[in-house]
Amino acid sequence: MIKFSIKTIIFSTIVFLLVLCSGKLFLNKSNVQSFRSEQYKMLKGDFDIGFFGSSHVFCSYDPRVFENELQLSAYNYGVAAQNLHTTLAIAKQEIKKRNLKLGIVDIFWETLREPPFSNRISSFQLQSIDYMDFSFEKIQLFNKIFGRDSLLNIFPTLRDHALWKDRVFQSNYYLKTDIDYYKGFKPPLYFNNNVWKNLVNDKKIENKSNEIDSKYQLSLGEKQIIDDIIETFKKANVPLLFVSAPTHKKYINNKDFNYQDLIKVYLKQKGANFLDLNDYWDSLSLHLFDFKDDTHLNTNGALKVSQHLATYIKKNYNISTNSSIDLSKNRYALLENPKKNGAVLYKKIENPKINKQTGVEKLILYKDLYGRLEILLAGDSLKDISIEVAYDVATNKKRQLGKDIQRKIKKDRFSVKEKLENLKNEGLYSGYNYKGSEFKVVIVDCPFSEVRNLSIAIGDKAPKEIVVSKKYLKLK
Amino acid sequence: MLFNSLDFAIFFPVVFILYWIVAQHKISRNILLLVASYVFYGWWDWRFLFLIFISSLVDFVVGQKIYKTENKKKRKGFLMVSLLVNLGFLVYFKYSNFFIETFVDTFRLFGKELEVSTLNIILPVGISFYTFQTLSYTIDIYRKQLEPTKDVLSFFTFVAFFPQLVAGPIERASHLLPQFYKTYKFNYNQVKSGLLLIAFGLFKKIVVADRVSVLVNQVYNGPEAYLGYEIILATILFAFQIYCDFSGYSDIAIGVGRTMGFDLMKNFRSPYLSKSITEFWRRWHISLSTWFRDYVYIPLGGSRDGKYKTYRNLFLVFFVSGLWHGAAMTFIIWGAIHGVIIVVEKSFSKQRRTIAKALGFEINTVSRKLFYIIITFSIVCIAWVFFRANTLSDAITIIQNGFHLKWSQVLNFYDLGLNAQEFWTAFFAIVLLVVFEWTHQNVSFTKQLAAQPLLFRWCFYLMIVFTLIIFGVYGDMAPKEFIYFQF
C-alpha cells in the first residue's frame, strides 16, 4: 500500500508537471500574446512602472516615453478585452515578480463587467490567463470566469488537445511592420485613412447616443473589484494610479461618459488617484489622426498621452529606482541624443534639395528591441517623404520572418518602398512631434545582423537621392 | 455518474482510498461500497434508487422463502413474485411505450386509427442489467444451484455494486456474491493491472468510440443523403464504435473492481476476430449470452429435443436478446438476423467447410481464418445497420443506398464529420487496437509489461496517459454517455 501510494504520488506529479509544461506547445503561437510572452521572459530585472488593463492600455501608454523622461523602466501589460478581475490577478503576480514601484490601471465601463462573461469576453481573458504563472490566484480567477466544471481547461494541453496538429506544428507570430512594438505596447504605427473610412462606412463605429438610466449606480461587484485592486496595491505598499485612456469623443456614447462619472466619484470616495485622460482632449490636441479606431489610439496619440502622463507622474510621485535602463533601443532617447544613446548610424542630411523637398534634416538608424532595423527621419517640419530601403538578406537563422521576406531570403536583394504622406488635405497630420521636432518612422522587418549592402534613398515624390549606403550594419 | 467524467475522476480515488482504509473490516467495507454505489447511481436521478432498493429487498426475501420451502407450488409462487416485480419494472419502464405503439400500428395496418397516447416514462439507466443480475439469484436458488445469503448488506451491495451496475458485466450471484463475504489484502500487482485495464477501456471509449461516433451519427441521422462507400464506412466505424464503447465500459468496470480486489467476469474476447456468428456470441457480451443460455435457452429445452427444436430455441433466444437490447423493431430484427444466421450456420456447417475448401482455403491456415473472419465481420456489420438505424425505414434506406457504389464517394470521406486529422487518428487507433487484440489473444499483456525494466514501464504508463489526454475526445463536444446505458 505504501509502495503504491508513493509511486502514485510520484507518477501523478510527473503527469501534472508534464501537463503543465506541455501547455506551451498547445498555445496559439501565431497569436501576438505568445510573442509578447517570449519577449517578456527575455526582459530581465525589475519594472518600475506597470500599466495594466485592456487594449486601451497597449494602444495608449508607450513605455519608451516613461523610460526616457522619468528614467524609470516600464512595461505595458495591456491585453485585449482584459477585465479588471484578470487585471487584479496579473497585478498581484507582477507586483512581487517585478518589484513594481507604481501601478497604473486603466479603467472604463467594459473592464468593469462582472462574470459570467460572454463566451467572447471569456475567451479573451485566456490571452492573459494562459501566460500567468500557475498559482492559486490563477485557479481562483479561472474558476470565477469559467466555472468549476471547466476548471481542467486551465491547462491548455487539456483544453486544446484536439488542436494538437495545428498547434504543435504552427509557425510563430510574424512581426508586422505597421505595428509599433515595445515592451507590451503595440498600437498601429500610423493613422490609416482607409481603415478609418471602412470602419465608418461599415458602421463598425458610429455616432452613438445610447443613454443609460441616470439613476444607474456601480454595482456591488463593480465596486468590489475596484476595492480589491486598491487593497492589493495598498498591501504591497505600491502607489496606484487609475487612468482612463482617451476615446474619440465624437464616436463615444453617453453610457461611457456616465460611467466615467460614476467611476470618478467612486474612486474619489475611496481616496484613489484617478486621471481621466478624456478630460484633456483639448490640451492634448487630440485629433482623428491620433486614433486607430473610435476607442484606440495609434502611436501618435499614444505619444501625446504618454508624455502627459509622464509629466503627471513626475509631478505627483516620487519614485526612486535602482534599475538600469538601456536607452539604445528607445526611439525617443535616440531622437534627443543619438550619439550618446547608441544609434547605429546618425546622419545629418546636408543636401539642401532633399531638405527642401522633404524637410528631413537628420536620419537615425538603430536596432530596435526585437532586432529589427528602425529608421527615424527627423526635421523641424516634415513634408511628404518617399523612401526606399534596399538590402541583401543573409540566411536567417534566428527569427521567424514575415512571408514576404522569407520569399526573398535566398540572398535576393530585398527592397521596401514607402510613401510617408502628410495628410494635409484631410487635416493637420504631418508627422510625430516629440519635444519640438517632427519625425517619421520606417521599420525594416529583417534581423539587423542579417542586413547587407544597405542603401536608403529618399525624395518627395520618388526616392531619388541615396542618403545611406552601407555594406553591413554594426552596433556601436 | 459516467466513467469518463470529472465527477468519476474524483469519486473513484476517494472511494478507492476509503475502501482500502476499511478493507479489513467486512461490514464497514460493504457499507462503504453500498453507499458509494447508491451515490454513483443516484448521481443521474436519485429517485430510481428506490427501484434498485425494492428489487434487492424483494429478491433477498424471496430467496430466503424459496430456500425454506420444499413445497413446489409455493417455491414457484415465490419465484413468480420475483419475476413479476423485476420484469414488471423492466416491462413498465422499458417496453410500455413500445407495446402501445406496436398495438396502435397493428390496428393501423387494418385501417383502424386508435387514439392512444404513449406514456411519459423515463428509462432508468442500466435497468436491464441489474434486473437480470438479481433475477439470476432467485432462479439459481429455485433450481437449488445456490444457497440464499443471510447477509443482507452483502446482497444489497452485490445488486448495486457500482463498477458493473449500469452496463454489466451481468454477474451471477454464485460468482460475485461470495466475494462480498471476504476481505482483501492490498495487492499491488492486482491494483496496477486494474488501473491498466481502466486506461485501456478509456482508450477504447474516448479515443476510438467517441471519435468515430461523429461520422456515424452524421450518416445515420440523415441516411437518405449518403450512398455506397459512405454508408459502408459509417457502418464499419459503427461496428468499432459499439465494440469500443461497450467493451471499453466493461474493461473499466472490471478494472475498477480489480483495484478493490474483486474479480468480475470477462465480457468480451476480441469478438471481431470470430470465425463464425456462433463464435461471435461466445466472444461478444459474454455475460449476457451465457445468461440467455442458462435462463432462456436451457429452460426452453436447449438442444435436447432434436434438431428443429434446437433451431427454434436458438432463434427465440436471439429474438428475445434483440428485444432486451431495445424496445424497437430495429433491435428485434437485429436479434432475429443473428438468430437466423446461427441456425443457418448450425444447419450448413459441412457445406461451409466444403465451400472454403473449394475456394482453395486449406484447413488451419491464416488465409482461411481471415476469410471466415471477414465473412463473419461483414454479417455482423449488416446486422449492426438495424441496431444503429433510428427507425426501420432508415435501416432499409441505408441498406438500399449502400448498394450505390461509386469510387468518387471515397473523396467525400472528410466531409462526413471527421476532418483528415480526426479521420486518420481514428483509423490508426483502430488498426492499433485490432493488431493488439490479434497478437494478445493468448498472451497476458500485463505479464509482458511486468517483465520490462522500470524506466520502460513508466514511459509506457506516461505514454498511455498522454495518448488519452491528447487523442481523447472529451470536453464540451464529446459524446456524454456509453451506448449500452440505454439498454
Side-chain angles (χ1 to χ4, degrees):
Chain A
M1 183 81 174
I2 293 168
K3 183 181 156 193
F4 176 79
S5 308
I6 293 169
K7 282 191 170 183
T8 306
I9 292 166
I10 295 171
F11 186 75
S12 309
T13 310
I14 294 172
V15 169
F16 174 76
L17 290 175
L18 284 174
V19 167
L20 199 63
C21 298
S22 61
K24 207 180 144 197
L25 284 172
F26 286 84
L27 293 176
N28 187 352
K29 287 184 276 295
S30 65
N31 186 296
V32 67
Q33 280 310 111
S34 168
F35 168 76
R36 263 170 53 128
S37 155
E38 292 299 316
Q39 295 301 321
Y40 167 84
K41 282 179 204 154
M42 283 164 71
L43 295 169
K44 303 292 175 204
D46 295 343
F47 299 141
D48 299 321
I49 306 176
F51 300 94
F52 299 95
S54 66
S55 54
H56 286 205
V57 170
F58 70 63
C59 284
S60 304
Y61 311 111
D62 187 344
R64 282 173 294 211
V65 174
F66 299 89
E67 289 182 346
N68 188 41
E69 302 204 357
L70 305 174
Q71 301 299 305
L72 296 170
S73 65
Y75 190 83
N76 192 314
Y77 290 97
V79 174
Q82 191 182 92
N83 182 273
L84 283 183
H85 288 272
T86 311
T87 300
L88 172 63
I90 290 176
K92 263 187 194 169
Q93 180 185 286
E94 294 303 307
I95 286 170
K96 281 186 220 157
K97 203 170 162 184
R98 295 291 188 162
N99 198 16
L100 294 182
K101 309 245 171 9
L102 172 64
I104 296 178
V105 174
D106 193 276
I107 186 170
F108 65 103
W109 72 275
E110 264 189 306
T111 61
L112 275 167
R113 281 182 194 168
E114 291 174 79
F117 304 130
S118 65
N119 285 345
R120 185 178 164 275
I121 297 293
S122 297
S123 60
F124 265 115
Q125 305 312 306
L126 286 176
Q127 293 204 15
S128 303
I129 296 171
D130 278 345
Y131 297 96
M132 282 174 73
D133 297 337
F134 193 76
S135 63
F136 184 63
E137 255 105 39
K138 181 171 173 169
I139 297 170
Q140 269 187 320
L141 175 67
F142 202 90
N143 183 38
K144 201 182 282 177
I145 296 172
F146 295 95
R148 188 183 70 90
D149 291 347
S150 300
L151 210 51
L152 280 180
N153 286 338
I154 199 169
F155 302 105
T157 308
L158 302 185
R159 187 179 68 233
D160 289 336
H161 66 281
L163 302 171
W164 61 270
K165 188 170 153 270
D166 296 338
R167 290 288 158 85
V168 174
F169 302 107
Q170 193 175 34
S171 54
N172 290 337
Y173 176 75
Y174 298 113
L175 284 179
K176 295 175 178 68
T177 48
D178 57 351
I179 301 283
D180 194 12
Y181 305 95
Y182 188 83
K183 295 188 180 176
F185 176 69
K186 54 179 189 77
L189 194 55
Y190 287 107
F191 170 76
N192 188 324
N193 202 19
N194 293 331
V195 170
W196 184 270
K197 279 178 180 165
N198 288 339
L199 286 170
V200 175
N201 289 341
D202 297 345
K203 298 203 169 171
K204 282 184 183 155
I205 55 172
E206 54 189 9
N207 200 348
K208 297 164 186 168
S209 60
N210 309 330
E211 286 196 32
I212 61 161
D213 185 350
S214 57
K215 286 176 193 163
Y216 187 81
Q217 293 298 315
L218 291 181
S219 72
L220 283 177
E222 289 170 335
K223 286 178 180 171
Q224 187 59 51
I225 188 64
I226 294 174
D227 292 352
D228 289 347
I229 290 173
I230 294 171
E231 191 56 32
T232 299
F233 278 89
K234 205 173 173 183
K235 255 191 189 168
N237 203 19
V238 175
L240 166 68
L241 170 63
F242 282 101
V243 290
S244 285
T247 46
H248 198 297
K249 62 180 177 183
K250 184 180 168 189
Y251 297 99
I252 215 68
N253 64 29
N254 291 335
K255 181 180 176 181
D256 301 356
F257 284 125
N258 287 348
Y259 238 100
Q260 286 303 110
D261 285 344
L262 292 173
I263 292 168
K264 209 174 282 181
V265 169
Y266 187 68
L267 287 175
K268 197 174 175 187
Q269 196 184 316
K270 299 301 289 186
N273 291 338
F274 177 50
L275 183 68
D276 187 350
L277 290 151
N278 287 293
D279 296 342
Y280 298 89
W281 178 276
D282 296 325
S283 61
L284 289 173
S285 312
L286 287 172
H287 187 274
L288 179 67
F289 300 136
D290 297 320
F291 284 86
K292 170 196 170 193
D293 55 41
D294 54 341
T295 54
H296 298 96
L297 297 169
N298 59 26
T299 298
N300 207 32
L303 179 55
K304 291 177 182 177
V305 164
S306 299
Q307 280 181 286
H308 182 85
L309 185 56
T311 310
Y312 178 87
I313 292 170
K314 204 174 199 173
K315 209 170 138 187
N316 294 285
Y317 296 88
N318 184 18
I319 301 164
S320 59
T321 181
N322 298 323
S323 53
S324 59
I325 303 156
D326 175 13
L327 294 172
S328 67
K329 318 277 188 229
N330 189 315
R331 179 188 297 157
Y332 304 107
L334 288 159
L335 271 169
E336 275 198 314
N337 200 335
K339 281 186 178 164
K340 184 187 156 202
N341 288 321
V344 171
L345 189 142
Y346 170 58
K347 187 170 178 142
K348 282 193 172 173
I349 307 293
E350 281 158 351
N351 183 334
K353 195 177 149 195
I354 298 173
N355 291 151
K356 200 180 162 193
Q357 283 177 346
T358 62
V360 176
E361 288 162 8
K362 51 189 179 184
L363 190 136
I364 300 161
L365 264 68
Y366 75 102
K367 181 184 176 181
D368 79 1
L369 197 60
Y370 308 104
R372 305 182 302 177
L373 172 64
E374 184 166 313
I375 302 162
L376 303 175
L377 305 151
D380 287 338
S381 175
L382 296 182
K383 297 168 185 167
D384 288 353
I385 303 168
S386 287
I387 180 166
E388 180 174 12
V389 185
Y391 54 94
D392 296 336
V393 187
T395 310
N396 173 260
K397 284 178 190 146
K398 283 183 184 167
R399 193 167 60 74
Q400 193 83 38
L401 290 169
K403 281 182 183 161
D404 48 350
I405 297 196
Q406 277 188 33
R407 265 182 248 120
K408 289 277 180 182
I409 201 87
K410 286 169 189 163
K411 295 189 181 177
D412 281 338
R413 192 158 177 80
F414 188 68
S415 77
V416 185
K417 259 189 200 174
E418 277 204 54
K419 186 139 168 84
L420 307 172
E421 278 181 300
N422 290 349
L423 293 167
K424 287 190 174 149
N425 295 338
E426 311 267 348
L428 300 164
Y429 181 72
S430 51
Y432 304 123
N433 196 315
Y434 188 70
K435 296 195 172 171
S437 78
E438 283 186 12
F439 72 97
K440 290 185 181 184
V441 179
V442 175
I443 294 169
V444 178
D445 184 25
C446 177
F448 181 87
S449 55
E450 288 161 26
V451 172
R452 300 281 183 275
N453 304 323
L454 172 77
S455 73
I456 301 172
I458 59 172
D460 52 355
K461 286 182 181 120
K464 288 174 196 158
E465 300 289 333
I466 293 177
V467 288
V468 170
S469 181
K470 282 262 179 194
K471 267 200 158 176
Y472 57 89
L473 297 168
K474 209 163 68 176
L475 282 174
K476 285 182 180 169
Chain B
M1 202 179 293
L2 295 167
F3 282 160
N4 56 333
S5 68
L6 185 58
D7 298 330
F8 187 75
I10 296 164
F11 169 84
F12 175 55
V14 171
V15 172
F16 178 82
I17 291 166
L18 293 176
Y19 176 87
W20 285 112
I21 290 171
V22 298
Q24 292 309 307
H25 191 268
K26 199 189 87 183
I27 296 175
S28 313
R29 194 265 323 258
N30 284 351
I31 290 174
L32 172 75
L33 284 180
L34 183 63
V35 171
S37 299
Y38 278 17
V39 169
F40 179 85
Y41 192 80
W43 211 254
W44 277 293
D45 197 329
W46 60 269
R47 291 169 301 175
F48 292 126
L49 281 173
F50 289 109
L51 290 181
I52 298 182
F53 183 81
I54 291 167
S55 278
S56 308
L57 190 65
V58 166
D59 286 332
F60 181 76
V61 175
V62 164
Q64 301 283 348
K65 296 275 182 199
I66 295 175
Y67 186 69
K68 282 177 188 163
T69 316
E70 282 303 323
N71 183 317
K72 272 190 177 179
K73 268 193 176 175
K74 278 191 178 174
R75 285 170 64 83
K76 209 170 214 173
F78 286 128
L79 179 65
M80 287 310 288
V81 172
S82 168
L83 289 173
L84 277 173
V85 171
N86 289 301
L87 293 178
F89 283 151
L90 186 62
V91 168
Y92 174 75
F93 283 102
K94 191 165 177 175
Y95 299 104
S96 303
N97 283 332
F98 172 65
F99 290 142
I100 292 169
E101 281 163 11
T102 311
F103 189 66
V104 172
D105 288 345
T106 312
F107 271 84
R108 193 174 291 141
L109 274 179
F110 295 103
K112 187 131 180 117
E113 278 295 331
L114 292 183
E115 283 191 16
V116 183
S117 54
T118 52
L119 304 172
N120 189 16
I121 299 170
I122 304 167
L123 178 66
V125 175
I127 189 168
S128 310
F129 289 89
Y130 69 76
T131 301
F132 272 33
Q133 179 158 313
T134 186
L135 268 181
S136 74
Y137 171 77
T138 44
I139 298 172
D140 283 354
I141 294 171
Y142 176 77
R143 289 173 173 178
K144 297 189 175 175
Q145 288 169 348
L146 184 74
E147 281 190 20
T149 178
K150 288 173 188 164
D151 183 348
V152 67
L153 180 61
S154 291
F155 181 75
F156 273 61
T157 316
F158 154 73
V159 177
F161 190 43
F162 75 87
Q164 42 85 252
L165 173 62
V166 290
I170 303 166
E171 283 290 343
R172 305 299 173 75
S174 55
H175 178 242
L176 184 59
L177 192 52
Q179 296 186 45
F180 291 99
Y181 306 152
K182 293 188 275 182
T183 55
Y184 301 97
K185 280 194 175 167
F186 187 89
N187 181 328
Y188 175 79
N189 287 329
Q190 200 177 14
V191 172
K192 199 169 70 174
S193 136
L195 291 175
L196 261 179
L197 204 52
I198 293 172
F200 189 51
L202 280 173
F203 174 84
K204 286 178 178 173
K205 168 68 179 161
I206 66 174
V207 178
V208 182
D210 288 349
R211 177 165 275 110
V212 300
S213 72
V214 179
L215 188 149
V216 173
N217 291 346
Q218 182 163 323
V219 173
Y220 272 80
N221 290 342
E224 54 289 331
Y226 302 97
L227 297 167
Y229 291 109
E230 296 164 342
I231 300 257
I232 290 171
L233 176 73
T235 306
I236 291 172
L237 289 183
F238 176 67
F240 284 101
Q241 183 198 345
I242 192 154
Y243 169 60
C244 290
D245 194 284
F246 191 20
S247 72
Y249 185 93
S250 291
D251 287 342
I252 298 169
I254 296 167
V256 169
R258 195 177 288 173
T259 59
M260 296 188 289
F262 288 88
D263 172 38
L264 300 181
M265 72 180 289
K266 206 167 164 57
N267 218 9
F268 292 87
R269 282 191 300 113
S270 314
Y272 292 144
L273 299 179
S274 306
K275 295 179 282 298
S276 67
I277 295 294
T278 313
E279 187 188 348
F280 176 79
W281 280 102
R282 282 193 211 115
R283 289 164 171 261
W284 177 275
H285 203 175
I286 300 164
S287 64
L288 180 74
S289 11
T290 51
W291 197 98
F292 274 115
R293 181 196 63 201
D294 295 344
Y295 302 109
V296 181
Y297 179 69
I298 291 173
L300 281 171
S303 57
R304 286 167 302 193
D305 301 324
K307 209 162 61 171
Y308 294 108
K309 281 202 173 163
T310 305
Y311 296 160
R312 180 204 67 184
N313 296 342
L314 278 172
F315 181 79
L316 277 175
V317 164
F318 282 95
F319 182 84
V320 176
S321 164
L323 193 61
W324 177 89
H325 277 87
M329 205 48 85
T330 47
F331 291 109
I332 293 173
I333 292 176
W334 171 78
I337 291 174
H338 279 277
V340 168
I341 300 287
I342 280 185
V343 169
V344 170
E345 269 181 7
K346 279 244 178 252
S347 321
F348 298 98
S349 55
K350 274 184 194 168
Q351 287 83 340
R352 189 176 125 99
R353 283 195 290 272
T354 315
I355 293 169
K357 205 176 171 186
L359 289 169
F361 293 112
E362 294 298 325
I363 297 169
N364 282 335
T365 55
V366 176
S367 60
R368 183 167 171 142
K369 280 180 192 169
L370 263 176
F371 172 70
Y372 283 145
I373 288 171
I374 290 167
I375 297 282
T376 307
F377 182 70
S378 306
I379 295 168
V380 169
C381 282
I382 291 166
W384 282 139
V385 170
F386 289 90
F387 191 95
R388 174 59 186 86
N390 296 332
T391 60
L392 195 54
S393 68
D394 272 7
I396 293 162
T397 309
I398 288 165
I399 300 275
Q400 283 171 343
N401 287 1
F403 288 104
H404 296 285
L405 294 167
K406 276 185 190 164
W407 284 113
S408 59
Q409 289 153 358
V410 175
L411 300 172
N412 300 338
F413 281 0
Y414 294 156
D415 298 330
L416 302 177
L418 293 181
N419 61 25
Q421 177 194 323
E422 293 294 300
F423 184 86
W424 289 105
T425 305
F427 178 81
F428 285 116
I430 290 170
V431 168
L432 190 71
L433 189 70
V434 172
V435 169
F436 181 84
E437 296 213 334
W438 180 281
T439 52
H440 285 81
Q441 289 184 85
N442 303 310
V443 183
S444 161
F445 180 68
T446 317
K447 279 183 189 162
Q448 272 185 331
L449 192 63
Q452 305 305 317
L454 180 85
L455 184 67
F456 180 90
R457 290 200 311 267
W458 277 57
C459 287
F460 180 77
Y461 300 146
L462 285 173
M463 195 185 78
I464 294 177
V465 171
F466 275 86
T467 301
L468 294 175
I469 288 175
I470 292 166
F471 300 111
V473 177
Y474 54 89
D476 296 339
M477 299 302 286
K480 299 290 181 229
E481 292 199 345
F482 287 83
I483 295 175
Y484 261 68
F485 281 13
Q486 61 187 293
F487 304 137

